[in-house]
Amino acid sequence: MNVSFVDLGAQYRDIKVAVDQAISSVIRDTAFIGGKYVREFERLFGELYGVKHVISCANGTDSLYIIMKMLGIGQGDEVITVANSWISSSETITQTGARPVFVDIDPVYYSIDENKIREKVSVRTKAIIAVHLQGQMCQIDHIRKICDEHGIHLIEDCAQSHFSSLNGVRAGVTGIAGSFSFYPGKNLGAYGDAGCIITNDDELAKSCRRFANHGSLSKHKHEVEGINSRMDALQASILSAKCAYIQDWTAKRIENAYLYTKKLKEVSDVVVPAVRPGSVHSFHLYVIRANRRDELMEYLKERGVETAIHYPRALPNLDAYAYLGHTREDFPVASAYEAKILSLPMYPELTESQVDHVVECIRSFYA
Ligand SMILES: *Cc1c(COP(=O)(O)O)cnc(C)c1O
């Protein structure tokens, strides 16, 4: 039996009629950039999140960059983020001219260790990017309190946490703005690059929308310079079609995670992901910690089970950040987990027999 890491083909087969129709409508109307299909997706997503503004853009990296840039973050500033994430969470800080300041991860939940944030706040700190990694929210209320105490912005990177919540509050609505990616493999994925910003702040919404479209809110009126970061209508129409299914897909991910956790419980060489009390973990990733991880990964591969590592190097340990002069001891948890973490196949269409196969292979490896 083969179990791929993700299976976007299975999802497409389930919703082929809706997706094909969405694509042909855009082509029929030759409405490729902006226009009604993009507005319609912004309206739908805003409704799902109960927010005033959704600003679509080209991808979930630009969305982070645009938020920070429009908050006036730049040269001489510092922005705090987490040591284990996709590089977008830190490279966008550098893009603004500011300096990324990393905080180690929590040993249980993998997200930023909220007890280690205060020691990293300085007079130059302008914002914290809270990354809701793997589909589980970090302790957003606690982080919000730190931000309020110091008068700094809270930005939420929700690229992996569509429809995740903590104590009934969704990812992306506690800070000044939330940033989403619709990269194909994300829980809500386009068929190319796409992203968006959500916010209830009218001023920020206006400036982000203007900046993402060459500094222009109406044709040939450029109040400022900006960039070209627009969502194309093909992506928007596909995303709109998918909005009808996203709650159901999230529920299926949660069911599959539950099955994995139940079946892996007695495997003592494996630590299953912990769910915070009050947390709806949307399981973008199902990450275990495993003894002899590399050997296990190879063993699974030989048996048709595709796994991945998110991420093989903690951000401060990447060559790109050598200039910051960190050592692995500065981020002991994130550094130690580099050799342990393993992401198992996870998607809504995963069947129970596939889960069983993965678990059986893991059991037989350690037996
Ligand atoms: C995917 C991802 C991004 C960036 O999204 P793109 O759309 O690929 O640019 C940002 N942050 C995190 C945590 C991500 O997983």
Side-chain angles (χ1 to χ4, degrees), residues 48 101 132 257:
L48 287 169
V101 174
H132 305 300

PDB file of all heavy atoms in Angstrom, residues 48 101 132 257:
ATOM      1  N   LEU A  48     -16.637  33.793   6.546  1.00  0.00           N
ATOM      2  CA  LEU A  48     -16.238  32.623   7.333  1.00  0.00           C
ATOM      3  C   LEU A  48     -15.504  33.039   8.601  1.00  0.00           C
ATOM      4  O   LEU A  48     -15.607  32.384   9.635  1.00  0.00           O
ATOM      5  CB  LEU A  48     -15.343  31.688   6.499  1.00  0.00           C
ATOM      6  CG  LEU A  48     -16.048  30.876   5.401  1.00  0.00           C
ATOM      7  CD1 LEU A  48     -15.037  30.207   4.485  1.00  0.00           C
ATOM      8  CD2 LEU A  48     -16.963  29.821   6.023  1.00  0.00           C
ATOM      9  N   VAL A 101      14.282  38.534  15.622  1.00  0.00           N
ATOM     10  CA  VAL A 101      14.748  38.083  16.942  1.00  0.00           C
ATOM     11  C   VAL A 101      13.990  36.793  17.268  1.00  0.00           C
ATOM     12  O   VAL A 101      12.763  36.803  17.374  1.00  0.00           O
ATOM     13  CB  VAL A 101      14.481  39.158  18.015  1.00  0.00           C
ATOM     14  CG1 VAL A 101      14.835  38.643  19.402  1.00  0.00           C
ATOM     15  CG2 VAL A 101      15.268  40.430  17.688  1.00  0.00           C
ATOM     16  N   HIS A 132       1.072  30.232  14.247  1.00  0.00           N
ATOM     17  CA  HIS A 132       0.254  29.107  14.714  1.00  0.00           C
ATOM     18  C   HIS A 132       0.664  27.884  13.908  1.00  0.00           C
ATOM     19  O   HIS A 132       0.037  27.549  12.898  1.00  0.00           O
ATOM     20  CB  HIS A 132      -1.228  29.433  14.560  1.00  0.00           C
ATOM     21  CG  HIS A 132      -1.634  30.704  15.252  1.00  0.00           C
ATOM     22  ND1 HIS A 132      -1.484  30.891  16.600  1.00  0.00           N
ATOM     23  CD2 HIS A 132      -2.167  31.855  14.768  1.00  0.00           C
ATOM     24  CE1 HIS A 132      -1.933  32.094  16.934  1.00  0.00           C
ATOM     25  NE2 HIS A 132      -2.342  32.708  15.835  1.00  0.00           N
ATOM     26  N   ALA A 257      -6.295  12.589  12.755  1.00  0.00           N
ATOM     27  CA  ALA A 257      -5.317  12.804  13.824  1.00  0.00           C
ATOM     28  C   ALA A 257      -5.695  11.987  15.050  1.00  0.00           C
ATOM     29  O   ALA A 257      -4.848  11.369  15.703  1.00  0.00           O
ATOM     30  CB  ALA A 257      -5.253  14.291  14.176  1.00  0.00           C
TER      31      ALA A 257
END
